[in-house]
């Protein structure tokens, strides 16, 4: 089976969050289980690895202006062929920009002809998030079976129809007969949902949540229809357990027992000049989706019983508030993303806060538990599917008080050292490997390949 993944980022070549982590781990595990796997992503200016150029030239795509000076590069790693599509729109430092809908329509138009130029013919194309939505649509129009994974429904790749229809090169009838138009906009997330043979999300609970108005981001009607047709399901993300392993982690003093973890805690206290109170930490994008405003609002209460360590960047208002709190003797804020520091925080903290308003899957809670750090999480999405009641501490509505109460329960349990140690041991024993999810995806691909292509009718107005 030849599987081609298409995504906007892939670790270790490009990464801003969980999407890159997934594309760094899932394809390699699929290759280990016998699939022929190719991953296609943009050839960003920041990629420093030794990519070998395979092809260069113009690409003519029906219905659109030709793409000039397209490059296709290759790097093979862990049994996976990584292909990088180089376009002028990506010749700038960084990953994402305000003109991304235009940039990723160019990328989307280039992927299939670029694959043809280098001789890669997928049995199944697996697109990830809105940046791959156009590729999924074009694949279906070309008779290629496609799976589409929603990693975060909030980001949809919308642009006005006047510009967007010209950029995509899709025929006019897909906007009318297939219902691709979305409130006067092109919507590339909807393109993936409409044209995929199967749609997945990154956790079972999130697959249910996005069929409701609260989480559906205006697409819940279409997602309900996909559910009724048996075309929407949730496959829980795994974790790269070799990369996140307290027994072998080169960024910390490796440990296997409570004494070793206590040494990591002492090192983190020394690094930030913290007192002997337990450490509550978070490593996160600073955004309201992640509930970071709730965490900041709770700090007056939390600092009574906890040291609080935050690593992250994002919303300037949240960053400014945390910089002010950084002067507090029990608060440490490190701005930006720093992977070695993240490892030290996961290893040295006692508890880990994730008060997310919604969380499609989340990897941080899995990493925390792998290091014996107990999660305090809101009951949503993948946090429900991964944090057992006997390990972590969960709360319901997204509120400052809910977070404060859950942290108070954690603090009370912390004083019962036998129970806390037992919870930590249980957390460290949980299996979050990619083996199970990978087999689910391979089974899904097999079902897609054995089923006839769905006719392109019936979704108008969805």
């Amino acid at each position: 089976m030849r599987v081609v993944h298409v995504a906007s980022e892939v670790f270790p070549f490009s990464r801003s969050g969980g999407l890159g982590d997934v594309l760094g781990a899932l394809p390699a595990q699929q290759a280990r289980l016998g699939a022929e796997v190719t991953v296609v992503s943009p050839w960003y200016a920041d990629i420093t690895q030794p990519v070998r150029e395979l092809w260069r030239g113009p690409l003519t795509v029906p219905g659109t202006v030709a793409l000039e000076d397209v490059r296709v590069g290759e790097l093979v790693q862990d049994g996976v062929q990584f292909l990088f599509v180089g376009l002028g729109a990506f010749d700038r430092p960084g990953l994402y920009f305000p003109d991304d809908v235009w940039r990723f329509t160019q990328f989307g138009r280039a992927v299939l002809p670029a694959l043809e130029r280098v001789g890669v013919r997928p049995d199944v194309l697996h697109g990830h998030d809105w940046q791959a939505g156009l590729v999924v649509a074009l694949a279906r129009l070309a008779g290629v079976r496609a799976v589409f994974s929603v990693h975060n429904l909030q980001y949809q790749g919308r642009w006005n129809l006047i510009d967007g229809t010209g950029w995509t090169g899709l025929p006019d009838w897909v906007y009318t007969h297939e219902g691709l138009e979305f409130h006067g906009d092109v919507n590339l997330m909807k393109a993936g949902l409409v044209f995929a043979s199967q749609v997945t999300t990154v956790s079972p609970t999130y697959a249910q949540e996005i069929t409701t108005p609260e989480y559906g981001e205006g697409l819940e009607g279409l997602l309900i229809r996909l559910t009724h047709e048996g075309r929407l399901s949730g496959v829980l993300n795994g974790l790269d357990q070799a990369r996140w392993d307290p027994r072998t982690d080169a960024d910390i003093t490796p440990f296997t027992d409570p004494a070793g973890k206590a040494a990591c805690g002492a090192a983190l206290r020394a690094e930030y000049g913290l007192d002997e109170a337990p450490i509550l930490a978070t490593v996160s994008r600073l955004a309201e989706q992640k509930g970071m405003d709730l965490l900041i609002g709770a700090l007056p209460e939390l600092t009574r019983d906890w040291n609080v360590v935050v690593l992250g960047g994002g919303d300037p208002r949240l960053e400014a508030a945390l910089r002010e709190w950084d002067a507090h003797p029990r608060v440490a804020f490190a701005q930006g993303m720093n992977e070695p520091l993240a490892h030290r925080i996961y290893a040295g903290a006692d508890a880990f806060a994730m008060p997310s308003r919604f969380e499609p899957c989340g990897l941080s809670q899995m990493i925390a538990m792998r290091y014996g750090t107990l999660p305090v999480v809101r009951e949503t999405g993948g946090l429900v599917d991964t944090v057992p009641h006997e390990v972590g501490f969960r709360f319901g509505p997204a509120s400052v008080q809910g977070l404060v109460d859950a942290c108070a329960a954690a603090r009370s349990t912390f004083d019962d050292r036998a129970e806390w140690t037992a919870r930590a041991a249980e957390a460290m024993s949980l299996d979050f490997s990619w083996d199970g999810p990978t087999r689910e995806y391979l089974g899904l691909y097999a079902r897609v390949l054995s089923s006839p292509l769905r006719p392109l009718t019936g979704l108008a107005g969805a």
Side-chain angles (χ1 to χ4, degrees):
M1 185 188 301
R2 165 69 78 174
V3 180
V4 172
H5 292 273
V6 181
S8 61
E9 58 184 75
V10 50
F11 181 85
F13 313 108
S14 54
R15 178 186 180 274
S16 70
L19 173 63
D21 290 328
V22 170
L23 270 297
L26 173 60
Q29 185 62 18
Q30 289 179 332
R32 291 184 195 104
L33 294 179
E36 293 183 60
V37 187
T38 297
V39 179
V40 184
S41 67
W43 196 340
Y44 293 106
D46 291 342
I47 292 177
T48 59
Q49 287 85 351
V51 178
R52 179 173 66 97
E53 186 173 294
L54 295 181
W55 180 87
R56 179 193 289 259
L59 288 177
T60 302
V61 183
T64 65
V65 177
L67 297 170
E68 301 294 337
D69 195 29
V70 179
R71 297 178 299 143
V72 181
E74 179 193 55
L75 192 153
V76 178
Q77 181 172 291
D78 295 330
V80 177
Q81 178 190 42
F82 293 93
L83 293 179
F84 303 92
V85 177
L87 298 157
F90 293 89
D91 287 341
R92 61 178 85 158
L95 300 187
Y96 302 121
F97 295 90
D99 61 347
D100 275 347
V101 175
W102 169 71
R103 296 170 76 229
F104 282 100
T105 53
Q106 289 204 50
F107 172 72
R109 287 162 43 204
V111 167
L112 293 179
L115 289 172
E116 185 177 352
R117 293 295 189 281
V118 298
V120 174
R121 293 175 176 80
D123 297 314
V124 175
L125 184 139
H126 189 160
H128 298 265
D129 263 353
W130 74 262
Q131 295 92 342
L134 178 59
V135 186
V136 169
L138 292 170
R140 173 61 189 88
L141 294 175
V144 177
R145 288 168 170 79
V147 172
F148 183 63
S149 287
V150 178
H151 295 255
N152 191 331
L153 192 65
Q154 187 177 57
Y155 303 101
Q156 297 183 3
R158 291 176 61 176
W159 203 264
N160 72 78
L161 277 172
I162 295 173
D163 293 330
T165 52
W167 294 346
T168 66
L170 293 170
D172 291 342
W173 62 264
V174 304
Y175 295 97
T176 54
H177 296 295
E178 292 303 314
L180 195 55
E181 180 273 336
F182 185 76
H183 301 293
D185 287 345
V186 168
N187 183 323
L188 298 181
M189 175 69 78
K190 190 177 182 184
L193 298 174
V194 167
F195 283 95
S197 295
Q198 288 288 325
V199 175
T200 70
T201 69
V202 289
S203 72
T205 295
Y206 190 58
Q208 298 168 8
E209 289 177 338
I210 61 176
T211 62
T212 68
E214 183 179 359
Y215 296 98
E217 303 290 345
L219 291 167
E220 59 271 10
L222 171 58
L223 292 160
I224 289 170
R225 181 170 298 189
L226 295 181
T227 301
H228 290 163
E229 294 174 355
R231 292 173 50 213
L232 174 63
S233 60
V235 179
L236 188 67
N237 277 346
L239 179 69
D240 184 342
Q241 295 191 150
R243 178 180 163 201
W244 299 102
D245 187 345
R247 300 168 301 177
T248 59
D249 193 331
D251 290 313
I252 65 170
T253 300
F255 66 90
T256 58
D257 57 24
K261 181 166 178 62
C264 290
L268 189 61
R269 281 190 177 80
E271 183 170 356
Y272 286 106
L274 303 174
D275 64 23
E276 291 305 309
I279 300 173
L280 175 71
T282 192
V283 177
S284 177
R285 180 165 50 87
L286 299 182
E288 289 194 0
Q289 176 215 324
K290 297 293 187 179
M292 289 299 102
D293 56 317
L294 304 181
L295 179 68
I296 292 168
L299 284 175
E301 292 294 326
L302 297 181
T303 49
R304 298 173 187 269
D305 297 313
W306 299 91
N307 289 296
V308 180
V309 178
V310 179
L311 169 63
D315 187 323
R317 295 169 301 170
L318 299 176
E319 289 182 353
L322 285 166
R323 281 196 297 270
E324 289 187 16
W325 270 100
D326 190 47
H328 191 286
R330 280 190 168 177
V331 177
F333 171 51
Q335 186 173 336
M337 294 310 296
N338 178 324
E339 180 145 333
L341 176 56
H343 285 245
R344 298 197 298 274
I345 290 172
Y346 284 118
D350 298 290
F352 193 89
M354 288 186 72
S356 305
R357 285 183 168 80
F358 68 93
E359 193 64 64
C361 178
L363 297 177
S364 292
Q365 79 280 11
M366 300 184 203
I367 298 169
M369 288 186 284
R370 186 104 167 112
Y371 286 73
T373 301
L374 303 189
V376 180
V377 303
R378 198 175 92 72
E379 292 186 316
T380 185
L383 302 179
V384 172
D385 297 325
T386 56
V387 180
H389 284 288
E390 63 270 20
V391 170
F393 304 86
R394 293 163 33 172
F395 64 100
S399 68
V400 169
Q401 192 59 52
L403 174 59
V404 167
D405 291 345
C407 288
R411 183 65 180 84
S412 177
T413 305
F414 181 83
D415 289 333
D416 184 339
R417 298 310 298 163
E419 181 178 352
W420 190 270
T421 300
R423 283 178 179 249
E426 176 68 17
M428 295 179 73
S429 73
L430 295 174
D431 180 11
F432 293 118
S433 73
W434 270 106
D435 184 67
T438 299
R439 294 179 188 279
E440 281 193 67
Y441 278 120
L442 293 176
L444 180 66
Y445 301 158
R447 292 193 296 275
V448 165
L449 287 171
S450 65
S451 301
L453 277 170
R454 182 181 56 84
L456 293 175
T457 57
L459 284 174

